[in-house]
């Protein structure tokens, strides 16, 4: 990606744009903003396997931090059945 790290971080953190770069993502939304670096998000995926469609719904704790010129993005997944 020909972009500065801060721009890439902003793109990846914006879950409403996830459908643009993740073909299986059906919808992404922010559930709660905890602070400027931490949020709880919901990502809904739909995959196709031959003619079958399967859906997956994830609740994710998302945290970003910056150290020595590097952005670190941490996601902790919880599967909703």
């Amino acid at each position: 990606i020909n972009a500065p790290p801060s721009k890439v971080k902003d793109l990846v953190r914006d879950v409403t744009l996830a459908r643009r770069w993740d073909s299986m993502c059906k919808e992404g939304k922010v559930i709660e903003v905890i602070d400027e670096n931490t949020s709880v998000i919901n990502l809904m995926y739909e995959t196709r396997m031959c003619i079958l469609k399967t859906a997956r719904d994830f609740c994710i704790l998302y945290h970003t931090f910056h150290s020595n010129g590097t952005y670190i993005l941490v996601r902790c997944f919880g599967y909703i059945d």
Side-chain angles (χ1 to χ4, degrees):
I1 298 173
N2 188 17
S6 61
K7 199 74 151 165
V8 174
K9 175 207 50 118
D10 292 341
L11 175 68
V12 173
R13 278 205 46 108
D14 188 345
V15 296
T16 62
L17 299 176
R19 292 177 57 183
R20 289 186 179 180
W21 51 268
D22 187 342
S23 62
M24 293 189 300
C25 185
K26 184 176 177 184
E27 184 181 352
K29 60 186 172 185
V30 176
I31 303 299
E32 181 178 349
V33 175
I34 297 169
D35 60 38
E36 67 179 284
N37 297 314
T38 311
S39 55
V40 177
I41 63 173
N42 176 239
L43 288 176
M44 290 165 271
Y45 286 88
E46 186 173 88
T47 61
R48 292 177 186 252
M49 299 175 76
C50 298
I51 59 171
L52 286 174
K53 276 187 177 180
T54 59
R56 298 287 186 259
D57 200 2
F58 294 95
C59 182
I60 302 166
L61 175 65
Y62 199 82
H63 182 74
T64 306
F65 59 97
H66 184 254
S67 177
N68 298 324
T70 301
Y71 287 95
I72 300 170
L73 309 171
V74 180
R75 288 183 173 186
C76 297
F77 287 83
Y79 176 69
I80 302 168
D81 190 15

